Amino acid sequence: MRRAGIAGPAHRRPPAPTPRWVESLKLELKGITKSFGALVANDHIDLVVEPGQIHSLLGENGAGKSTLMNVLYGLHQPTSGEIHVDGSAVAFAGPADAMAVGIGMVHQHFMLVPVFTVAENVALGNESTGRGGILDLDATRRRIREISAQFGFDVDPDALVGELPVGVQQRVEIIKALAREAKVLILDEPTAVLTPQETDELMDIMRQLKANGTSIVFISHKLREVKAVSDKITVIRRGKVVGTADPSAPTTELASMMVGRSVSLTLEKSAAEPGETTFAVTNLTVTNDAGQRVVDDVTFAVSRGEILGIAGVQGNGQTELAEAVLGLRRHVRGSITLGGTELVGRSVREVLDAGVGYVPEDRQDDGLVGGFSIAENLVLDLYKQRPFSRRATLDRAAIAANAAAKVAEFDVRTLSAADPVATLSGGNQQKVVLARELSRPLKLFLASQPTRGVDVGSIEFLHKRIVAERDAGTPVLIVSTELDEVLELSDRIAVLFAGKLMGVVPGKSSRELLGLMMAGLTVDEARAHLDHPDATIEREPA
Amino acid sequence: MSTVTTQPAGRPAGQPAVAGVGPAPGSRRTPIVLAVLAAVAIVVFAVLGPGGQATFRISQDNDAWQVPNLVLPAKAFGVAIAVVCTALAVLAYRQMRANGRIAKWVTLTYAPVFVVGLLVWIVGGTTTQNITLVGLFTGAMLITTPLVFGSLSGVLCERSGVVNIAIEGQLLAGAFTAALVASITHNAFAGLFAAAAAGVAVSALLAVFSIKYVVNQIIVGVVLNVLVSGLTGFLFEKIMKTSVNGATIYNQPAQLPALPIPLLSEIPVIGPMLFRQSIIGYLMLVLVAAIWFGLFRTRWGLRIRAVGEHPKAADTVGINVNRTRVRNVLAGGAVAGIGGAYFTLVAVSSFSKDMTGGLGFIALAALIFGRWNPIGAALAALLFGVAGNLQSILSLAGTPIDGQFLAMLPYALTILAVSGFVGRSRAPAADGQPYVKG
Ligand SMILES: Nc1ncnc2c1ncn2[C@@H]1O[C@H](COP(=O)(O)OP(=O)(O)OP(=O)(O)O)[C@@H](O)[C@H]1O
Ligand SMILES: [Mg+2]
């Protein structure tokens, strides 16, 4: 380890004192540049994180935020530039060095071993051991309980991480960093996978950490969150710092600073002109492998030229509903018809050929082939058709021309469409999926979390594209846990709770009404409750 | 009754939103497999069971402590086994219905009960109706010992995420080198060390190509096997077969003596099997225990398992993934090399071409059947060894059953294990995937 002027490593430590108070640490990035070949992801970035500060990074997709954080955490070596900790320069050969000076990071994609318990994950790399390297997991368990007690986490040290919901996995990541006495905590898009409640809880945790002297670098595309918790905001565009802002700055100002043009944060769309009803789901029940009904007797329909949003807290059957439409589910009862044809029992290929455009919830697992080029990913489900394929061979030129057009239209930030799609930033990967799915004539457009991890400028564009698809006469089904997005896009909103449909309400409904329905009230119960807010509703458990 | 408040109450932290999504369901096929085996037990062991007695000789003539022979009425015993198997199968089915999973002890009891039933049925069907248990188990160790070393090598490599197909080559290199060095130095221990070094050398090639140059691990392993087979075959012809004054002096390795442990070696069956071994045999017992303890109870093991499951996560907490892998592959080579030495320093007193005869691949099967766990792999190796030896013992006792059929059984079981019919065998998630920093 090559470190200058830093007190010795904090490896085996005595039982931590409670309450925990960490020595604060001042972090300075000076002229950090990071290039990947010809691409300059970070261009002379200067950034100062004061002790006990929540410092937010804002920037478009591909601006270089994650790259900068990976440099700070020792995962990437900077091409040039210096990192200073409490005034002295440090060099990180790897994450171990960064952790030793007190930098912790919660990655955009969690870095947890699913088959390990919480305690094993927290201990990993920072193990308390007895003689001969024998693991002392009890010490780790104690530490986890201490930290949990301090921040009000409900985390069982012996639970298997793979069986925990994402929100809890994220807490495990935070505990992991705190157990290593992190004085600076990097949170890279921590809220992208959280429900609104979990997001609020996370923001409380961040405030508590700050009160304890921990500084936080926070990355999010949701300006509301950034404004709510930050002390300072730094905006990055195309690898360069374009300025800093105060959290009290108006949202539109922050957005235009990020994107470099003025952004309209509210979608202007004309009223829907619903045509004939071509897509109908009738008495749909989906059972999972354990035999539970994850979608329970759901009936609704979508007309041409209309957007139906499906709202609900994550994990209430939305994923399974979308997968059932696509033919990805095994135990499906009921009927799903598109233009009179039954889709239940069809293969995915047949469903796609029937004219369904599909944006999956998890782009990395289901939507993209990481090792394929961007151009190839843009024709993944069209490659068999003209003009991309003639007889049995692919037409490379047509595929390249298509890629060039889509990359320009959807503003995918890349040097070359021949690069593997996995090198794109998170938001740009999402744009590739949408560009592909919206590029052929559709009879139904079905998108789960269509703008997850996408910056405000691109959200504006993607929303416009989805509305354009509606106006072209396609029925559109949007599944999103982001209530803002559902309200923004939908002409009608259906709410799912525990697999059941709580009702379908107009697109202009109030957040309160939707919130109640998402908590398990039917439309009528929710309306009655809003009319008489003081009365508590007594009802039989479902 | 539930009271609903105005706040949208999301799911409580720590609980999935869809009610009752509990532990992952166990394999639903297990009760079916158990039921099918119970049916086999009823028909074959009980209804078609041989008459007369099956005799198992437990003590040898020169044993200090003589234990009377175990004499079982074959048919009645078959009926008893069939009843127990049926009961366990029904229990498994009911547990599956009630809890969605089967208690571990049910399958763990079922297997030995069925195997004992099979054994009694087979012995009852022979002309002599008489076999020696000591012979069965001590003879099995000739196969089991190299299998255990081979599968431990596999455990070390694959737990860290490197597939080791080259076990066969490592065993063979160990056997050859041990024979050569022990012949030249007249010192069996020198041969033992040289064998370990030879295993490490094969591993070093595996490590360099598969970890440093990211060549497909399976391909490198296969190539190494061919390479070692060719090289040792060539050197065997050129060096070992040359005789000086009528003696093949380069193929007369000094042997490792058996070191019986007082008292323990007198225990019936177990004594001759485990406590009258050479130093290699004792090393085997120590290694199985030590690697198990190391993997599951120490920092070393936690890091290795993390590297094999999720290398990127290990990297982000400061663990050097590829260095860990290289170390494990080298250690695995040493272990397999020692296993190879067993052939020429203990089992047979000279080297012959391709003498490992595919045991390296069977060690892989033991590794999988034993669920990448050192103890599981050792037990699987024992099962394979006993099955292999049973074949030769039965041909002496005169059996109507085809020997090849018996020899096939353990591997049929392995296929069932891998395909998830009996329990579930899951490789480390990153097994076989090279790690390149991104
Ligand atoms: N390993 C890599 N190889 C090549 N290019 C890369 C690599 N990692 C990132 N990039 C490129 O660097 C640029 C910055 O990416 P980065 O992931 O830092 O963006 P980001 O600001 O985090 O975006 P998002 O908000 O979408 O997550 C992108 O153009 C991306 O394609
Ligand atoms: Mg990012």
Side-chain angles (χ1 to χ4, degrees), chain B residues 345-421:
Chain B
L345 300 185
V346 179
V348 194
S349 53
S350 64
F351 181 81
S352 56
K353 193 172 178 331
D354 288 332
M355 72 186 303
T356 47
L359 279 189
F361 298 110
I362 294 167
L364 274 177
L367 166 75
I368 296 167
F369 197 50
R371 303 185 184 194
W372 285 266
N373 179 319
I375 295 177
L379 291 177
L382 179 63
L383 177 71
F384 292 0
V386 169
N389 192 39
L390 189 61
Q391 197 196 155
S392 31
I393 290 211
L394 286 179
S395 56
L396 293 178
T399 180
I401 304 166
D402 189 63
Q404 301 295 334
F405 176 77
L406 284 173
M408 181 203 76
L409 273 183
Y411 312 117
L413 278 181
T414 306
I415 291 179
L416 285 179
V418 177
S419 54
F421 277 98

Side-chain angles (χ1 to χ4, degrees), chain A residues 36 39 41 61-67 108 189 221 423-427:
Chain A
F36 296 105
L39 182 118
N61 296 127
K65 306 178 295 293
S66 296
T67 305
Q108 211 165 343
E189 293 194 42
H221 287 296
T423 62
L424 287 181
S425 78

Side-chain angles (χ1 to χ4, degrees), chain A residues 1-71:
Chain A
M1 269 193 270
R2 282 159 287 121
R3 280 182 286 117
I6 300 299
H11 256 327
R12 217 172 295 170
R13 63 182 60 84
T18 32
R20 181 177 152 277
W21 168 262
V22 294
E23 260 175 80
S24 305
L25 178 145
K26 180 173 176 173
L27 195 66
E28 289 164 280
L29 301 183
K30 294 189 173 169
I32 296 286
T33 298
K34 174 70 190 174
S35 324
F36 296 105
L39 182 118
V40 185
N42 291 158
D43 191 356
H44 293 92
I45 291 195
D46 295 318
L47 189 77
V48 181
V49 182
E50 299 287 347
Q53 184 183 56
I54 299 184
H55 195 132
S56 291
L57 287 186
L58 274 183
E60 296 171 282
N61 296 127
K65 306 178 295 293
S66 296
T67 305
L68 185 66
M69 293 303 109
N70 286 336
V71 168

Side-chain angles (χ1 to χ4, degrees), chain A residues 287-293 330-331, chain B residues 23-36 89 92-102 107 419-424:
Chain A
T287 330
N288 66 11
D289 283 339
Q292 294 143 349
R293 292 180 165 208
R330 281 197 291 173
H331 314 290
Chain B
S27 170
R28 291 175 168 205
R29 301 178 207 143
T30 309
I32 300 175
V33 174
L34 297 189
V36 169
Y93 174 75
R94 295 178 61 166
Q95 284 183 347
M96 192 75 206
R97 281 289 296 271
N99 315 328
R101 59 171 58 192
I102 300 166
T107 30
S419 54
F421 277 98
V422 182
R424 190 166 44 107

Side-chain angles (χ1 to χ4, degrees), chain B residues 313-326:
Chain B
D315 194 5
T316 57
V317 292
I319 296 168
N320 189 324
V321 172
N322 285 337
R323 192 189 296 157
T324 308
R325 288 183 169 179
V326 169

